[in-house]
Amino acid sequence: MLDPWMRRLIDGPLEGMARQLHKRRIAADTITWAGFALGLGSMIAVAFGAFGIALGLMLAGRLADGLDGAIARIQGATDLGGYLDITLDFIFYSGLVFAFALYDPSSNGLAASFLIFSFIGTGTSFLAFAIMAARRQLSTDRRGHKSIYYLGGLTEGTETIGFLVALCLWPGAFPWLAWTFGGLCWVTTASRIAMAFDQLHERK
């Protein structure tokens, strides 16, 4: 929901940083993998209860996630780069939730399971539509120039990052935060299915 507004805010600074990295011949895929490594570090930190470290690593990883796309737009986007970007993002999002379950299984386990279940809804509704959009040659740049079609919703990237920041700041509130955000994810899934019916329905 907030991604189009956020893109207008961050695209300029990201492009400036990307140009500097491009001058140093740093490839977009290198930044993608570096961001994922930072994400893995934040998962480990959460599992051991080091939430301040987890927050710093997570934010650095999300910065890298924005930079790789900006660099790709300079160097030339590739199918492999787009594939790695979305695949590693989904692994990171669910992995950080799993880390909270590892940290306190008795308090967080059920809520974490529900949230990962909810991520399946948002992820599959997003990726399945992208496949059909590619077949129909549909495109949009409301959320920046992407390798695949980005279908909107109530819980997009900006909201998810804000949610993960809240988890690191208030880890004791994980259960009710997870149940709440998971519910919002199902609203997003339902709205995406409705949009798919509207845009993909075979009209006679």
Side-chain angles (χ1 to χ4, degrees):
M1 184 174 67
L2 297 177
D3 280 9
W5 171 82
M6 182 59 72
R7 296 307 320 181
R8 292 193 294 270
L9 185 66
I10 67 174
D11 276 352
L14 285 177
E15 288 173 7
M17 296 172 67
R19 283 192 292 269
Q20 295 302 314
L21 292 170
H22 174 63
K23 290 178 182 178
R24 292 167 173 77
R25 299 184 179 181
I26 298 176
D29 288 356
T30 300
I31 300 299
T32 300
W33 283 111
F36 183 62
L38 290 164
L40 288 177
S42 69
M43 295 177 210
I44 294 170
V46 165
F48 284 96
F51 299 108
I53 294 173
L55 178 59
L57 291 172
M58 187 265 289
L59 290 175
R62 293 303 85 197
L63 173 61
D65 183 55
L67 276 173
D68 61 3
I71 296 172
R73 287 189 287 275
I74 296 172
Q75 298 175 345
T78 66
D79 289 344
L80 177 59
Y83 170 82
L84 287 174
D85 183 46
I86 194 65
T87 299
L88 298 181
D89 275 355
F90 275 90
I91 293 173
F92 163 71
Y93 289 141
S94 59
L96 197 65
V97 173
F98 177 60
F100 275 92
L102 289 176
Y103 168 69
D104 190 346
S106 60
S107 296
N108 296 344
L110 184 59
S113 297
F114 173 70
L115 185 54
I116 293 174
F117 171 51
S118 303
F119 283 173
I120 293 296
T122 54
T124 53
S125 61
F126 170 83
L127 293 173
F129 187 90
I131 294 170
M132 301 307 164
R135 288 176 58 181
R136 293 174 178 235
Q137 298 183 322
L138 303 177
S139 63
T140 178
D141 60 1
R142 288 192 67 233
R143 289 155 184 83
H145 297 286
K146 304 289 187 179
S147 298
I148 61 175
Y149 192 105
Y150 267 55
L151 190 63
L154 184 62
T155 54
E156 298 180 310
T158 301
E159 292 83 7
T160 303
I161 293 170
F163 166 70
L164 297 178
V165 168
L167 291 181
C168 292
L169 292 175
W170 301 289
F174 177 88
W176 73 264
L177 285 171
W179 285 106
T180 300
F181 194 77
L184 295 175
C185 285
W186 283 113
V187 173
T188 294
T189 301
S191 69
R192 286 175 174 170
I193 292 173
M195 283 187 276
F197 266 97
D198 179 62
Q199 297 192 44
L200 303 179
H201 181 67
E202 299 291 343
R203 294 178 174 84
K204 296 182 180 180

